[in-house]
Amino acid sequence: LADKLLGAANVAEFDIDRERRHLEMLKVRFGESALHMCEIMLKDLTDSRRIGRTISEAVARSPTAIDRELSVTIISRVCWPALSDEPFKNHPLVER
């Protein structure tokens, strides 16, 4: 599930409702506790959408609005598989 969710081209376009329905069917078959981590991963993406939308709206209303696309992805470290060993680089605006 993590590969599928993170592999989506754009978190905002990913059909979380469809995955949530699929997860509910799996919970009936395998039990709630077996799929708890998957439920948290879907919640992370739902939160990512909400926070990204809120930040984008605030930036758009700002008198010094920048013309940049913003993408926010929240991942709960305990629930998601380990990320690759690739070094993470902050955007130059963040480095300031």
Side-chain angles (χ1 to χ4, degrees):
L1 179 63
D3 290 337
K4 186 175 182 179
L5 296 175
L6 290 177
N10 186 349
V11 172
E13 295 175 4
F14 191 78
D15 189 359
I16 291 177
D17 292 330
R18 189 185 88 216
E19 292 302 324
R20 189 166 280 123
R21 286 189 301 271
H22 188 235
L23 181 61
E24 290 302 321
M25 289 188 288
L26 290 172
K27 283 166 126 179
V28 170
R29 173 88 167 108
F30 298 108
E32 289 257 343
S33 62
L35 296 161
H36 181 69
M37 297 293 192
C38 293
E39 192 170 10
I40 291 173
M41 287 190 286
L42 288 176
K43 183 184 179 311
D44 285 348
L45 289 185
T46 301
D47 291 345
S48 297
R49 279 186 181 176
R50 181 180 47 80
I51 291 170
R53 193 176 319 117
T54 301
I55 293 171
S56 293
E57 289 169 0
V59 167
R61 286 190 308 265
S62 170
T64 59
I66 56 174
D67 187 25
R68 303 239 192 284
E69 185 176 324
L70 175 68
S71 176
V72 176
T73 303
I74 297 171
I75 52 175
S76 299
R77 185 174 60 94
V78 176
C79 300
W80 290 79
L83 297 174
S84 65
D85 292 333
E86 294 177 27
F88 179 80
K89 291 173 55 179
N90 285 323
H91 189 278
L93 290 175
V94 175
E95 288 294 329
R96 288 191 229 165

